[in-house]
Amino acid sequence: MPTLDYSRSTVLLAIAALVVAALLPFAVKNFILFQLTLAMIYGIAILGLNLLTGFNGQFSLGHSAFFAIGAYTAAIMMDRFDIAYYWTLPTAGAVCLVFGFLFGLPALRLQGIYLALATFSLAVATPQILKSSPLEPWTGGVQGIVVIKPNAPFGLPLSSDQWLYYLTLAAVVLMFAAAANLINSRTGRAIVAIRDNPIAARAMGIDLGLYKSMTFGVSAFYTGVAGALGAIVIQFVAPDSFTFAFAIGLFVGLVVGGVGSIPGALFGGLFVLFVPNIAEQFSKGLAGAVYGIILILVIYLMPSGAAGLVRLIVSRIARKPAQQN
Amino acid sequence: MELLLHQVFAGLSTGGIYACMALSIVMIYQAIDQLNFAQGEMAMFSTFVAWQILQWGLPYWPTFFLTIALSFLGGIVIERVVFKPLKNAPALSHVVIFIAIFAILNSCAGFVWDFTIKSFPSPFGTQPLFGNGIISSHDAGMIGVTTVLLLLLYVFFRFTRVGLAMRATAENPESARLVGVRVGWMIALGWGMAAAIGAVAGMMIAPVVFLEPNMMLSILLYGFAGAVVGGLTSPFGAVVGGFSVGVIENLAGTFIPIVGRELKLTIALTLIVAVLTVRPSGLFGRVLVTRV
Amino acid sequence: MSNILLSARNLCAFYGATRVLHGLDFDIERGGVTAFLGANGAGKTSTLRALSGMIEMTGDVSFAGQRLRGSSTEKLAWLGIAHVPEGRGTFSRMTTEENLQLGAMTRGNRANISADISRVYGYFPKLRERARQQAGTMSGGEQQMLAIGRALMMRPRLMLLDEPSFGLAPIIVEEVYAILRKLNEDDGVSMLLVEQNATAALALAHHAYLIETGEIVLGGTAQEIGRDENVRRAYLGY
């Protein structure tokens, strides 16, 4: 899996995409905007997962848990403590950073498939934990918590949906840029080295335990912030929104977008949001089956995901002019 | 005292199901070094097939064995069609495929048979055995079936040529090839057997938890817990682990107030994380040493 | 019937994209012992792996008149090639007896198999004592004998042996080689022997080849090779 390279065309493309994204709210209906916002939120969550699994090589089937923690943190802050929504984002991130780091500690000794199992267990157990009575005064038990949709600040002439779209877009730009920076830094190279050859990494003096736990924490941070945004945008959190099925969705988004690709996470988010809908159009009851078949096709035909496909196409196009000389 | 006994026996009977799931999981793990996250859905699907055959009028025991045979074939087909081409792919790809199969089976089951809860008959009835309610006839039946299954497997692995070949394949596929064992077919056979065992587990648990497409997820988790506790490389350990998890779950459920009643899955989670962290080889598994 | 059991022409072998054998030509005589000598990494083990279908290979290999073309390891075992691999390849978690039974996978007749197990115990009395013992708990020498015994159970037409002396004390090496000699002289088992220990190998072999960096640089009878100046200096120590 290649690391990042910033050719000029990539940067230009990103800026162009950003301009288009910024203008969208004035061109599309509120509901589509809502869906795009959700797709971006899933993209951030998937990016979190990518940092852990794609770049650091630690499998996680349990990121739904971190999303849930972030979402509930935001909901509890807003509903029980009347704290403004913008404070919930960093707080949710911080809470998840801690939880992620803590979960990362025992996870240190678990490789590959064993870690997948441990995180799978976390995902399956989470809804039950959220419904349990000791936590009920906070979580609202099975019914969950309803959250009030915030209005645009400073009296800006934007609808709530439009404002939340921009807020999420800003979060995407910030967090994706930060992730890119991280991966290209020395820390990032250490993280990738651990994935590619942990023994060599250790021999080079990289503290495996520290880096792996830290990556777990950062990964959880990202997904937690996404969870908080999700709570605000959907205006509702409930235990059964965060089942193993959701963890599967994030994992699928990771693979389809491209493991080890930062922009791929956005494609993954779009996939996770829209494909189940499309699959349902195709055949209401068999949506899951269509989903599964698409997954199998992706693994067989484009194992590097959408990002890999794009890279392939770009390299083919780039090769052509050279051949013509 | 009576309550304790009742819970222990109830734990043993659900433990039998977990033992079957754990055994299926270990079989595939031995064959391909991967955990089959779709094992539960395969068992669920088999149980639905059994239900359908029963609806068509076939009596219970012929249906039971027919379902086992069909599941066996199904497992082999899945291995040959979906997994064999991926032999050399990275582990991540395998996990994705397991999830894909999970989604496909879950969705197909819901599509064909819908999500309403169905009842599934027990061949053992539900009378309390021994009169005083320590254990029901179905519970006893479950323990009995599980025991018979395990004995058959023991005999198969220890005393037959094919069983020996499968053990060799699991332990050292390269050496197995050198003596002429058709390793590819041994792996397919492992899948078939895992599917068949899963079908037994599904058909035994369905009368208790009722038949619906999402019935096996938590049972799968307990199965994993049993396999981990017993040791992922030991079929015997898987069985012991499964029974243990069943008893632990039931005793915790009865005697530890809140945790027990509402947080049973957390018990499984804790067991898995704790055992994998502290003693990854479980009770009976092989300690794996990585050569640097 | 030709005297040549296996003949290879232009045998090349690959680990992925890297070629490690560059066009080997050699013949293995029926009923004889042929040795491949060479230093570590010369390509001896790769040759055996190529013949066993364990790594990718190209070239013309014919075995007992049949052309071998990309056959799988299992198929070659069924054709009568018994490979005792580097590291012995014993099933360490199984008993000695189970290991021997696994050697008989390609055979059908129960009675013959039992008789053959007895025969192997005849050659290796130490193994009979350890019939029910886990193979992995035995000493290196005993595991080597077990590996050879397992190969014998296949009633092979050709035995491939990868460094049978590896990691063994000199006195055990003598024991093992004495048995190999007996197997060859009394039972006519054809062998292709790969060894770093040139002295021991040349004492047993009829023919020998010298491999260096994936190419055969010398070939002839064992005596000829043993008398060669360069071989003596580099591999025999005098």
Side-chain angles (χ1 to χ4, degrees):
Chain A
M1 285 161 224
T3 50
L4 305 169
D5 55 349
Y6 281 133
S7 60
R8 199 151 20 112
S9 40
T10 317
V11 178
L12 284 172
L13 211 64
I15 294 180
L18 194 56
V19 170
V20 170
L23 294 174
L24 265 173
F26 303 107
V28 298
K29 285 202 285 266
N30 268 344
F31 183 67
I32 307 273
L33 216 53
F34 169 74
Q35 289 192 305
L36 286 173
T37 310
L38 263 186
M40 286 196 286
I41 289 174
Y42 292 148
I44 299 178
I46 291 171
L47 180 58
L49 181 58
N50 209 348
L51 286 174
L52 186 66
T53 299
F55 288 100
N56 193 231
Q58 300 190 67
F59 283 12
S60 171
L61 286 175
H63 263 54
S64 54
F66 298 118
F67 195 90
I69 293 175
Y72 268 89
T73 306
I76 291 172
M77 283 174 75
M78 289 194 285
D79 186 71
R80 304 277 191 261
F81 295 108
D82 270 329
I83 298 177
Y85 64 96
Y86 34 83
W87 294 119
T88 64
L89 297 183
T91 317
V95 169
C96 285
L97 181 74
V98 170
F99 268 105
F101 187 85
L102 290 178
F103 194 84
L105 287 176
L108 278 180
R109 309 179 93 215
L110 304 180
Q111 297 287 20
I113 204 70
Y114 297 109
L115 184 59
L117 177 56
T119 49
F120 164 81
S121 317
L122 180 65
V124 174
T126 297
Q128 209 184 51
I129 296 174
L130 290 170
K131 288 181 204 168
S132 66
S133 27
L135 295 180
E136 210 172 308
W138 302 99
T139 62
V142 177
Q143 280 108 335
I145 304 175
V146 174
V147 161
I148 303 173
K149 205 172 195 168
N151 288 318
F154 319 124
L156 282 170
L158 294 170
S159 72
S160 278
D161 284 319
Q162 289 172 324
W163 165 240
L164 288 174
Y165 173 87
Y166 279 119
L167 181 67
T168 309
L169 184 61
V172 164
V173 170
L174 259 173
M175 296 180 87
F176 273 66
N181 251 356
L182 176 68
I183 294 299
N184 273 337
S185 70
R186 269 185 68 188
T187 312
R189 282 197 289 278
I191 290 174
V192 174
I194 292 175
R195 174 197 76 197
D196 289 338
N197 195 334
I199 295 171
R202 199 188 317 153
M204 287 195 296
I206 296 176
D207 184 338
L208 247 58
L210 184 64
Y211 273 92
K212 284 173 85 167
S213 300
M214 192 196 74
T215 311
F216 224 111
V218 172
S219 159
F221 174 89
Y222 269 70
T223 308
V225 169
L229 279 169
I232 299 171
V233 168
I234 301 178
Q235 306 173 260
F236 178 59
V237 294
D240 286 326
S241 318
F242 307 114
T243 58
F244 179 60
F246 184 63
I248 290 182
L250 292 177
F251 190 78
V252 166
L254 169 71
V255 173
V256 169
V259 176
S261 155
I262 290 182
L266 278 175
F267 184 82
L270 285 165
F271 181 88
V272 168
L273 185 66
F274 288 113
V275 168
N277 291 349
I278 298 175
E280 259 187 40
Q281 308 274 6
F282 201 71
S283 158
K284 190 129 189 35
L286 282 178
V290 172
Y291 205 58
I293 292 177
I294 294 180
L295 267 186
I296 295 182
L297 287 174
V298 167
I299 284 296
Y300 272 88
L301 299 175
M302 26 181 250
S304 309
L309 193 65
V310 166
R311 241 177 278 134
L312 195 67
I313 295 175
V314 164
S315 67
R316 289 274 166 85
I317 297 176
R319 224 182 286 158
K320 281 217 179 107
Q323 283 171 348
Q324 279 167 1
N325 284 347
Chain B
M1 189 54 199
E2 219 176 82
L3 181 63
L4 178 67
L5 265 182
H6 178 73
Q7 287 305 322
V8 167
F9 275 107
L12 284 176
S13 61
T14 45
I17 304 307
Y18 304 155
C20 284
M21 289 306 295
L23 199 56
S24 313
I25 288 163
V26 166
M27 275 218 171
I28 294 193
Y29 182 77
Q30 296 265 64
I32 60 171
D33 248 357
Q34 289 286 335
L35 293 173
N36 183 358
F37 287 99
Q39 192 72 61
E41 302 310 282
M42 287 166 66
M44 174 272 292
F45 200 84
S46 300
T47 313
F48 267 106
V49 167
W51 182 86
Q52 186 63 69
I53 298 177
L54 286 172
Q55 297 300 106
W56 285 333
L58 202 61
Y60 185 87
W61 287 111
T63 306
F64 184 81
F65 289 109
L66 180 58
T67 306
I68 291 180
L70 289 173
S71 306
F72 179 79
L73 287 173
I76 292 185
V77 165
I78 291 180
E79 195 276 333
R80 293 274 96 176
V81 169
V82 180
F83 278 93
K84 184 169 162 233
L86 280 184
K87 224 178 350 166
N88 299 318
L92 199 69
S93 304
H94 285 106
V95 175
V96 174
I97 299 291
F98 285 124
I99 291 189
I101 296 177
F102 186 109
I104 292 174
L105 287 176
N106 189 291
S107 152
C108 287
F111 182 72
V112 175
W113 292 290
D114 76 57
F115 286 88
T116 57
I117 297 178
K118 299 173 177 37
S119 68
F120 193 87
S122 161
F124 308 113
T126 42
Q127 274 61 50
L129 214 55
F130 309 131
N132 51 3
I134 286 186
I135 183 170
S136 82
S137 47
H138 180 71
D139 288 347
M142 276 207 279
I143 296 180
V145 165
T146 310
T147 314
V148 168
L149 180 63
L150 299 172
L151 278 173
L152 285 174
L153 284 172
Y154 177 78
V155 166
F156 172 76
F157 279 115
R158 191 136 298 268
F159 296 112
T160 67
R161 271 188 121 194
V162 182
L164 185 64
M166 279 183 75
R167 283 165 56 206
T169 306
E171 184 183 330
N172 191 336
E174 197 173 80
S175 286
R177 271 189 248 269
L178 288 174
V179 295
V181 171
R182 292 189 175 88
V183 162
W185 281 108
M186 292 300 109
I187 293 178
L189 192 60
W191 270 82
M193 288 173 67
I197 296 170
V200 172
M203 290 191 281
M204 286 292 107
I205 200 75
V208 178
V209 301
F210 299 105
L211 183 59
E212 54 98 9
N214 293 315
M215 69 190 239
M216 292 302 278
L217 185 61
S218 46
I219 297 180
L220 178 65
L221 182 60
Y222 291 124
F224 276 128
V228 163
V229 165
L232 280 167
T233 52
S234 162
F236 174 70
V239 170
V240 170
F243 278 112
S244 310
V245 169
V247 172
I248 293 175
E249 180 215 11
N250 255 45
L251 289 181
T254 315
F255 295 111
I256 306 178
I258 294 175
V259 168
R261 205 175 357 108
E262 297 178 21
L263 291 176
K264 285 190 172 187
L265 291 178
T266 313
I267 296 176
L269 166 65
T270 316
L271 274 174
I272 288 177
V273 174
V275 173
L276 283 181
T277 314
V278 170
R279 197 192 150 100
S281 53
L283 290 173
F284 298 101
R286 201 178 4 135
V287 178
L288 284 165
V289 180
T290 329
R291 277 279 177 77
V292 179
Chain C
M1 204 195 253
S2 144
N3 216 16
I4 305 291
L5 180 60
L6 183 147
S7 108
R9 296 286 175 268
N10 200 21
L11 177 67
C12 298
F14 304 84
Y15 284 101
T18 319
R19 192 169 67 166
V20 291
L21 295 180
H22 314 294
L24 304 183
D25 296 332
F26 58 88
D27 293 314
I28 314 284
E29 239 188 41
R30 190 183 302 273
V33 176
T34 308
F36 268 54
L37 307 175
N40 220 354
K44 312 186 302 294
T45 299
S46 303
T47 307
L48 291 189
R49 289 222 179 122
L51 289 177
S52 250
M54 287 160 78
I55 60 177
E56 227 183 290
M57 65 105 150
T58 61
D60 282 323
V61 179
S62 91
F63 177 67
Q66 241 182 314
R67 281 284 294 277
L68 298 184
R69 186 144 279 271
S71 303
S72 66
T73 310
E74 298 96 298
K75 181 137 180 281
L76 292 167
W78 281 83
L79 283 178
I81 296 183
H83 183 162
V84 181
E86 198 176 20
R88 335 269 185 235
T90 35
F91 296 100
S92 25
R93 288 215 304 289
M94 305 210 195
T95 65
T96 299
E97 182 118 345
E98 286 173 328
N99 269 269
L100 292 177
Q101 281 169 345
L102 278 165
M105 265 297 138
T106 54
R107 304 195 15 219
N109 190 317
R110 279 295 162 87
N112 283 351
I113 295 175
S114 300
D116 277 349
I117 292 186
S118 301
R119 217 158 55 92
V120 168
Y121 287 145
Y123 280 117
F124 305 109
K126 282 204 201 123
L127 290 183
R128 180 182 278 125
E129 291 165 33
R130 310 208 183 288
R132 299 247 172 278
Q133 185 177 336
Q134 239 193 19
T137 59
M138 302 200 300
S139 73
E142 287 161 348
Q143 288 198 43
Q144 184 63 64
M145 296 185 201
L146 177 57
I148 295 174
R150 188 182 82 197
L152 273 182
M153 292 297 300
M154 292 169 71
R155 290 244 184 120
R157 299 204 252 188
L158 174 63
M159 219 192 257
L160 306 176
L161 294 130
D162 199 334
E163 298 208 37
S165 72
F166 186 80
L168 300 183
I171 197 170
I172 310 287
V173 173
E174 270 181 45
E175 235 185 290
V176 170
Y177 268 81
I179 292 168
L180 289 177
R181 177 185 298 280
K182 213 163 134 191
L183 286 173
N184 173 251
E185 286 175 3
D186 297 351
D187 294 335
V189 179
S190 316
M191 295 181 190
L192 171 50
L193 182 66
V194 142
E195 264 294 0
Q196 272 186 69
N197 184 342
T199 320
L202 285 174
L204 175 66
H206 304 108
H207 299 271
Y209 292 92
L210 183 59
I211 291 195
E212 281 175 9
T213 51
E215 291 180 3
I216 292 184
V217 297
L218 203 57
T221 67
Q223 283 103 319
E224 286 167 7
I225 302 294
R227 279 199 295 263
D228 180 277
E229 276 286 321
N230 297 315
V231 173
R232 280 170 48 196
R233 242 193 297 272
Y235 299 99
L236 296 174
Y238 65 98

